[in-house]
Structures are given as structure tokens and as C-alpha cells.
Amino acid sequence: MIHHNHTTLTSSTVEQLSLDLFPPCSFDELCAQCTGITLTVHINPRLKSNWYVKIHRGQPVRELHIPQILDDAPEAVKRAAVNWATLPSPRLPHLKKEVKCRQRHYEAQIRSFLNDRGAATRRRPPVQKWPTIGRHYDLREVFDSLNDTFFRGTLRSFLRWGSPTSRTSFQATRHDSDGQPYHCITIAGMYNHPEVPRFAIDTIMFHEMLHIHIPPRRENGRNVYHGPDFKKMEQSFPHYAQWHRWEKTVLPYLSRRYPRKQPLRQFGKAAARLLFH
Ligand SMILES: [Zn+2]
């Protein structure tokens, strides 16, 4: 019995010693173990809580750029970073899911280490960089005026025009890095025709804004987007009936005459004003 205890003690001492004698693998050593890809790791002093990989197309060569703090990480975290940087690019659809899943797993490991070390800084919320001005209407102005009139200015959303020939408008809710929801309303490109009347752009925008005001809910295993409360509010909009008729009779006609080329995106806001105002 005594002998057994003694043995346990000795082996645990040896274990501790061996940890000190063999420090965690360096990035160089881990990279040397990679097969098929030549990976080099660069410490980038400008990086604080992010990392990225440079892929050289057509060559099995990659560069992993990391913040200084990751160089002191335990071996498991370093291994996760190396595995992350050497993930295969999934060409076959059945691989896609698996690679994505592994990618998320590695990212969570790295992120959790960085969070523990206080390296994760609050990322700035997404900023709208694209113009909202169209041929006739500025989506921002349309949104703001409806927001003031019908929602006491409480709604917030990114706004954008859909591709020039798109026929569907939609609202999407996404989450930023802090888990805060943000909305984006896309108005169908066909509403960017110069002959679209104000009541039409107002009604379609109002519809998408209602999706923020009345979020979808789960009912009998299905998402309900246009429930009775939604429809009631939508139909109470002053121009709803007029828009409904217009959408059925005039809009298809306008979309047939839609000019295909729309240089808005390339030229940005200032040029858009010059071109269309
Ligand atoms: Zn809808």
C-alpha cells in the first residue's frame, strides 16, 4: 500500500518535471509537421485580436499572420491556429459543411484564448459604406421620413438597392460580433426606375420596416412573417390600395423598360448625384 502511494507520487513529480523540460511546441515546429502545405507564421504587431491567412493561389504555400499574444499561447491553441490556416479550400459541396464546422471549432479555440487574455477589443459596429441614393429617391430619406411618421423614429436599419433587375425587396436581421442584432433592408432594383411614384417607394419601404417592427415568430414549427397583425398594419398604410393596383399593372411594364446598366455602385455617392440629379 505504502509502496503504491510512493509510486504515484514519483510519477506525478516526473510528469511535472517533464512539462518544464519540454516547453510547448513553437509555431516553427508545428509548421514543420504540416504535410502538403508550406506554412510560415508571422507575428504582426498591428494585430491585436485578429489573425488572417494569406493564400498563394496555385501554390501550396500559406502565411499565417498573428498577434504577438498568440505566440505565448498553449500548444493546443497554436495547433488550432495552424490547423485553421491549413484547412483545405472546399471545392466539393459535401466537404463544405465539414470544413466550415472545423473552421468554427478552431476559431472558437483561438478566440477563447484571446478573450481570456483580454485581447479581444470591442469591434466597431458595421458601418454603411454604399450609397443609398438612387435614380429618383434616396432610400435613407424615404426610411427616415416613414420612421418619424409611423414608428416615432425608433427603427434602425442599413439600406441598399438590390441589383438593377431584381424584383424582390427584403429585410434581413444579422448579428454583429457582440451579438447585437442589426437590420438591413434591400429594395428591389426595379424600384430604382425614375418613373416610380413616391407612394410606391413609400409603401414597399413601409412593408420592409414592418418586418423590423413585427419580427417573425415561430408558430406550429413554421416562421410566420406576414401574420394577421402584420397584414392589418400594412393595409392601414394610406397608399396601400393604390400601391397594390400600381404594382400589378404599372410595375411590370416599367421593369420591361428598365435600363440595364446602372453605374451607381461603381461611382459612389458624389458621382451618383451628378449622374442622376
Ligand atoms: Zn414581407
Side-chain angles (χ1 to χ4, degrees):
M1 196 62 193
I2 292 167
H3 179 74
H4 178 78
N5 273 344
H6 177 74
T7 322
T8 318
L9 187 74
T10 316
S11 80
S12 85
T13 316
V14 169
E15 230 169 58
Q16 272 187 1
L17 270 176
S18 72
L19 278 175
D20 289 334
L21 284 172
F22 301 101
C25 272
S26 69
F27 270 115
D28 284 346
E29 287 167 299
L30 290 172
C31 290
Q33 293 170 16
C34 295
T35 47
I37 288 180
T38 310
L39 182 71
T40 49
V41 177
H42 303 267
I43 293 166
N44 184 335
R46 282 195 299 182
L47 294 174
K48 294 281 176 275
S49 58
N50 280 322
W51 65 93
Y52 63 90
V53 67
K54 257 190 189 169
I55 295 173
H56 298 261
R57 270 176 199 278
Q59 292 172 47
V61 177
R62 293 185 186 182
E63 291 168 31
L64 172 63
H65 293 252
I66 56 162
Q68 172 72 55
I69 197 166
L70 215 53
D71 200 32
D72 305 324
E75 192 174 314
V77 177
K78 284 184 181 170
R79 217 173 264 282
V82 168
N83 289 341
W84 178 86
T86 51
L87 277 170
S89 35
R91 291 216 181 78
L92 300 167
H94 73 274
L95 261 183
K96 218 173 197 165
K97 213 172 176 183
E98 195 216 313
V99 170
K100 199 88 200 148
C101 178
R102 281 171 58 199
Q103 182 189 338
R104 280 205 204 101
H105 170 75
Y106 297 140
E107 282 170 3
Q109 254 180 299
I110 303 166
R111 180 71 52 211
S112 134
F113 167 77
L114 291 173
N115 283 350
D116 286 350
R117 294 291 178 97
T121 47
R122 229 181 132 80
R123 272 192 257 164
R124 267 176 289 160
V127 179
Q128 173 143 358
K129 292 185 186 117
W130 56 91
T132 56
I133 296 177
R135 288 186 154 79
H136 198 161
Y137 302 106
D138 180 354
L139 295 178
R140 181 54 62 196
E141 187 273 318
V142 174
F143 179 94
D144 286 349
S145 94
L146 292 170
N147 200 12
D148 286 345
T149 314
F150 296 97
F151 305 97
R152 284 176 285 124
T154 54
L155 303 187
R156 297 280 172 275
S157 182
F158 290 98
L159 305 168
R160 63 176 186 178
W161 289 105
S163 68
T165 50
S166 59
R167 290 157 184 264
T168 324
S169 305
F170 58 94
Q171 177 271 335
T173 304
R174 302 207 170 86
H175 292 84
D176 67 13
S177 54
D178 296 324
Q180 293 298 314
Y182 65 93
H183 306 283
C184 183
I185 289 175
T186 305
I187 298 295
M190 60 202 294
Y191 274 84
N192 201 6
H193 193 286
E195 287 167 41
V196 166
R198 179 77 196 203
F199 71 79
I201 189 90
D202 273 350
T203 316
I204 195 76
M205 183 67 90
F206 183 77
H207 176 103
E208 300 312 330
M209 291 170 82
L210 269 187
H211 280 302
I212 302 175
H213 184 66
I214 307 173
R217 56 172 185 270
R218 205 81 186 144
E219 241 171 55
N220 303 325
R222 299 180 71 184
N223 285 331
V224 177
Y225 293 95
H226 304 113
D229 47 347
F230 185 101
K231 285 198 173 127
K232 196 173 163 211
M233 254 189 106
E234 185 188 27
Q235 286 164 19
S236 73
F237 189 69
H239 305 294
Y240 179 78
Q242 193 183 8
W243 167 78
H244 200 61
R245 274 196 306 278
W246 176 87
E247 192 217 14
K248 291 267 170 298
T249 53
V250 185
L251 185 61
Y253 167 72
L254 283 187
S255 73
R256 277 204 296 277
R257 293 194 293 123
Y258 197 95
R260 294 276 152 163
K261 279 188 186 152
Q262 192 220 34
L264 264 178
R265 263 165 198 273
Q266 298 162 27
F267 289 97
K269 203 168 175 175
R273 274 214 189 88
L274 285 173
L275 284 165
F276 300 114
H277 285 253

